[in-house]
Amino acid sequence: MNRLKEFLESTQKKTFLDIGTGTGNFIHQITSMYEEYESFIGIDTSARLIEMATKHTPNDKVSFIEMDAYDMTFPDNHFDVVCLSNSLHHLSNIPQMFQAMKRVLKEDGYILIQEMIKDQLSEMQQSHKLMHHFAARIDRLSGDTHYETFTEQEIIDILGSQEGLSIDQEWILDVPRHKENSKEELDYIYNILERVMSRVPEDHQEEFIKEKEQVKQYIEKHGYDGCPSVFAVLKKQ
Ligand SMILES: C[S@@+](CC[C@H](N)C(=O)[O-])C[C@H]1O[C@@H](n2cnc3c(N)ncnc32)[C@H](O)[C@@H]1O
C-alpha cells in the first residue's frame, strides 16, 4: 500500500489544513486516497490561486481561504493535521512558519511535509530541476520568495531543527518513473518553459534566452521526468 495512504488510515485524523495550497494539488492528492477527513482548509496568499482552487474543487468538505500563514487567524490547537507541500523553498522565514504551524496544531496532531528534492535524480529528472531553478531565478527577479530546491539531507536537517517539533517518520515518495516522453508531453513542457520565459523583464531577456535554450537542449537530449519528493511527518515534542 502507498505509504502516505497507510499513514493517513492509521491516524484516522479528521481536520486538515494545507498551507501554501496554490490550486489545491496536495488536497486533491490526499482526499483521493483518504476519505475519513471531516474538513480540509487550504490557505494561500494569492487571491488568484484561491479562486482557481475553489473553482476546481466541488467538494463540501473542502474550502479555500486567502490568508498569510505567518499570520493565521485560526485558534491555537485547532487542526489534527497541518500540511505543507512543495512550499518550503518558497518561505522567507522557515522557523517562523513552523512555529505558526505548531500553534494551530493539536497536541496529538501531525505536520505533513512534501517537498521535491534536488539530489538522487535520474538524467530525466534533472530536467525538472533545471526548469525549476530557471523559473525560481526569474521569480526572484520580480521580488518573489522562490529559492532553489533542497537535497533530502538539507530538508531533514531543516525539519529536525524546528523548536518543539520532532520528525516521526520520513521517506522518499515513490513515484512511477517515465521511460520516455510522448510528443504531447514534451510539447506541454516546452510550452511551460515559454510561459516562464514570458515573465522575464526586458533588460534580462538576452541572459535568460541563452539559459532557456540550454534547458531546452538538455530536455531534448535526456527527456523529462518529475523530481522525487521527500515526505515527512512531524509531531509536537
Ligand atoms: C509551489 S506552490 C505549492 C502549491 C501546492 N502546495 C502544491 O504542492 O502544488 C507554493 C505556494 O505557497 C504560497 N505561499 C508562499 N508564502 C505563503 C504564506 N506566507 N502564506 C500562505 N501561502 C504562501 C504561494 O503563494 C504558492 O502558491
Side-chain angles (χ1 to χ4, degrees):
M1 204 194 321
N2 173 313
R3 182 143 174 196
L4 175 55
K5 183 174 162 65
E6 202 172 81
F7 167 73
L8 293 165
E9 286 178 354
S10 72
T11 66
Q12 290 295 304
K13 294 296 189 195
K14 304 292 181 207
T15 55
F16 286 68
L17 171 69
D18 184 34
I19 287 177
T21 197
T23 53
N25 282 338
F26 195 57
I27 295 184
H28 298 151
Q29 190 179 329
I30 291 198
T31 55
S32 69
M33 65 177 74
Y34 178 69
E35 291 178 355
E36 310 309 317
Y37 66 98
E38 284 167 4
S39 67
F40 214 138
I41 299 176
I43 65 165
D44 203 288
T45 42
S46 162
R48 183 180 62 85
L49 295 178
I50 288 296
E51 196 184 324
M52 283 169 68
T54 306
K55 213 161 136 188
H56 295 136
T57 314
N59 179 338
D60 288 346
K61 295 198 286 182
V62 179
S63 54
F64 295 94
I65 306 172
E66 182 188 341
M67 193 188 286
D68 186 339
Y70 292 114
D71 196 19
M72 288 184 277
T73 53
F74 304 116
D76 294 357
N77 305 320
H78 192 63
F79 294 99
D80 288 323
V81 181
V82 177
C83 312
L84 185 78
S85 163
N86 283 324
S87 299
L88 208 55
H89 64 282
H90 282 263
L91 301 179
S92 55
N93 189 331
I94 292 176
Q96 192 186 338
M97 180 61 78
F98 276 90
Q99 290 316 300
M101 291 164 80
K102 184 170 158 258
R103 182 187 71 76
V104 298
L105 185 69
K106 287 182 186 168
E107 287 306 317
D108 63 347
Y110 295 104
I111 291 177
L112 296 190
I113 304 292
Q114 176 176 245
E115 184 75 10
M116 67 181 263
I117 54 173
K118 68 169 180 181
D119 61 333
Q120 308 167 51
L121 306 182
S122 68
E123 281 185 331
M124 286 177 93
Q125 291 169 333
Q126 290 279 358
S127 294
H128 184 195
K129 182 184 93 173
L130 285 175
M131 208 158 114
H132 176 273
H133 290 182
F134 175 67
R137 215 148 72 75
I138 292 170
D139 288 345
R140 288 199 297 275
L141 280 181
S142 350
D144 286 357
T145 309
H146 194 178
Y147 301 112
E148 292 195 353
T149 47
F150 302 105
T151 63
E152 178 186 13
Q153 191 56 52
E154 284 169 343
I155 293 170
I156 298 311
D157 291 346
I158 290 169
L159 301 181
S161 62
Q162 299 310 317
E163 209 183 311
L165 295 168
S166 62
I167 301 176
D168 180 54
Q169 45 183 305
E170 174 259 330
W171 66 93
I172 299 280
L173 204 67
D174 189 12
V175 189
R177 302 274 163 250
H178 285 295
K179 291 224 160 36
E180 58 185 70
N181 303 110
S182 65
K183 183 180 176 311
E184 287 72 28
E185 276 169 348
L186 287 177
D187 285 348
Y188 178 75
I189 297 299
Y190 297 146
N191 200 7
I192 294 179
L193 198 54
E194 292 305 329
R195 285 215 314 267
V196 169
M197 189 63 208
S198 71
R199 304 204 295 260
V200 176
E202 205 51 54
D203 52 339
H204 288 273
Q205 282 283 334
E206 208 175 306
E207 156 197 359
F208 279 92
I209 282 177
K210 224 186 264 168
E211 192 175 331
K212 183 200 80 175
E213 281 312 314
Q214 285 166 355
V215 174
K216 194 168 175 190
Q217 278 166 16
Y218 185 92
I219 298 172
E220 279 167 354
K221 184 162 177 207
H222 298 284
Y224 183 96
D225 198 6
C227 290
S229 298
V230 155
F231 206 96
V233 177
L234 278 70
K235 291 193 303 197
K236 283 190 180 181
Q237 267 172 347

